[in-house]
Amino acid sequence: MNISLNMLMNLGIMILAGIFMGRLMKHLGFPNVTGYMLAGLLLGPYLLPALGCPISVLSEGFVSGISVITDVALGLIAFSVGGQLHFSYMRRAGKAPVILALVESVAAAVCVSLALILTGNGPGMALIMGSIAAATAPAATILVVQQYRARGPVTNLLLQVVALDDVTALLLYSISAAVIKHFGAEGKQILAAVLKEVLRFIEGAALGLLLAILLLFVLRFFRRRSNRLAIVCGFLFLAIGGAQRLGLNALIVCMVMGMAIANLSAEADAVLECVEPIAAPVFILFFVASGAGLPVNLLRSVGIIGLVYILARYTGKILGTLLGGALTGTDRRQCLHLGPCLLPQAGIAIGLTLAAGSVLPKHASNIRAIVLTGTLICELIGPAVTRLSLKKAGEISPSP
C-alpha cells in the first residue's frame, strides 16, 4: 500500500530524506550519494514490501513518472564531467591520460562482456553491460581528493582519467547499441550502423560545442550571478531537449558543452559553478529516485551476475591500467596505485542503464538491477579503496 501524497509532497520528502541520510553516511565515512540511494530504497515501492512492511511512500508509477528530473540530473552530471577535461593539463601530461583512459575502459568492457558470455548470458546483454562497465564516477573520486587534500602525480592522472572514462563509455555504448540492433545482418550493414552511431556521436559533440560558444557569447552581457544561473540552466535545458528532439545523445551534448566552456573561457570556473545552487536538489532527487527504482525482488536472481559484473569490471580496470601504463611509459608504481581508484561508478552508468531499456527491453530490469546494485556496493567501498591507494602512493598527508 502506498501512502497517498501529491507530487510536491513526494519530492519534498525525497529531498529531505536524501539530505539527512547523506549526512548520516558522511559521518560514517561514506559519500553522500550512498545515503541518497539508501533513502530511495527505504522510500521506494520495493524494499519495505519485500521485508514484510505493507506501506511505501513512493509508488512505482510515481518513480517512473519523474523522468524529466532524471534527464536534467544526467545533463548536469555530464556537464560537470566535461568541465573536468582541461586541455592545458593534457598538453602538459602528454598522451598518457588519454591512452590510459582508453585502454582501461576498453579492458573493463572486454572483461565484463567475456565474463557474462561465459556465465551463460546472451551477446547483446554482454555488450551493453560491457560498455556500461567502462564508466567511472568522477564525483566520488573528486570528493575523496578534496576531503583528504590529495596532491601528486597519481592524483592528477586520476582526475583526468575518470573524466575521460565517461567519454569512452558513451562511445562504446553507442557502438554496442548499433551492433545489437543489427544482429544477424551482413557485415557491411553492421559496419554502416556503427559508422552511423559514430557520426551521431560527432553530431552531438558539434551541437554541444555550438551551444557552448553561444552560451559564452550571451554571458558577456550578463554579470550578475543570478542572471548567469538562469542563462546556463536555459542552455542546459535546450541542450537536453534539443538532443532528444534530434535523436542525439544528451549526455554527449552536455559533456562537450562543459568541456568547451572549461577550455574556451577565462571565466570557466565561475560559469561551471553557476549551476551549483540547483545541482544539489536535482542530484538528490535523481539518486533517491534511482534507489527507489531498484527492483529488490530481482536481486536474488541477478546476484551471481552482479558479482561477476563487479569482479570482472574491477579486474579489467586494474589490468587495463597496467597495460596502458606500459604503452605510455608511465611509472608502474603510479599505475598500481591508479587502478584501484577506478572502482566507483554512479551517474553516467545509471544514465546508460535507462538508455539500455530501449535497446534490450526484455533485459531492462535485470540491467538496471545489476548496475544499481553494483553502484551501491562500489560507492560503499570505492571511496575507501581510493583513499587507501592514494595514501599508499604518498599523496595524502598524515593528518587530513
Side-chain angles (χ1 to χ4, degrees), residues 99-228:
I99 294 178
L100 269 169
L102 180 62
V103 173
E104 55 87 6
S105 295
V106 172
V110 170
C111 284
V112 168
S113 296
L114 289 176
L116 290 181
I117 289 174
L118 291 174
T119 51
N121 295 279
M125 176 86 161
L127 279 175
I128 286 294
M129 293 299 296
S131 64
I132 294 174
T136 314
T141 302
I142 293 170
L143 178 68
V144 173
V145 169
Q146 292 176 344
Q147 182 176 352
Y148 296 101
R149 299 193 295 274
R151 297 289 185 275
V154 176
T155 301
N156 293 334
L157 192 59
L158 173 64
L159 292 175
Q160 295 300 315
V161 168
V162 294
L164 288 166
D165 270 355
D166 289 339
V167 180
T168 307
L170 290 172
L171 182 57
L172 288 175
Y173 175 83
S174 299
I175 294 173
S176 298
V179 172
I180 290 169
K181 290 176 182 177
H182 292 80
F183 270 153
E186 295 181 358
K188 290 182 179 180
Q189 290 178 308
I190 295 177
L191 179 59
V194 170
L195 292 176
K196 182 179 179 181
E197 289 299 323
V198 173
L199 178 61
R200 288 159 63 87
F201 189 97
I202 295 172
E203 290 173 347
L207 177 59
L209 177 60
L210 175 61
L211 288 172
I213 293 172
L214 291 174
L215 170 60
L216 293 175
F217 175 76
V218 173
L219 287 177
R220 292 171 60 187
F221 304 100
F222 297 88
R223 311 303 302 179
R224 185 177 297 177
R225 184 179 176 87
S226 58
N227 289 337
R228 289 190 156 201

Side-chain angles (χ1 to χ4, degrees), residues 38 45 71 82 100 152 159 195 207 213 279 323 348 352 358 370:
L38 288 175
D71 294 337
L100 269 169
L159 292 175
L195 292 176
L207 177 59
I213 293 172
L323 177 58
I348 298 295
L352 291 178
S358 62
I370 292 168

Side-chain angles (χ1 to χ4, degrees), residues 321-362:
T321 302
L322 293 174
L323 177 58
L327 293 174
T328 59
T330 304
D331 189 327
R332 181 177 174 83
R333 288 174 298 178
Q334 290 185 22
C335 294
L336 287 172
H337 295 306
L338 177 66
C341 296
L342 301 176
L343 180 59
Q345 189 174 48
I348 298 295
I350 294 174
L352 291 178
T353 65
L354 300 176
S358 62
V359 181
L360 293 172
K362 292 183 179 180

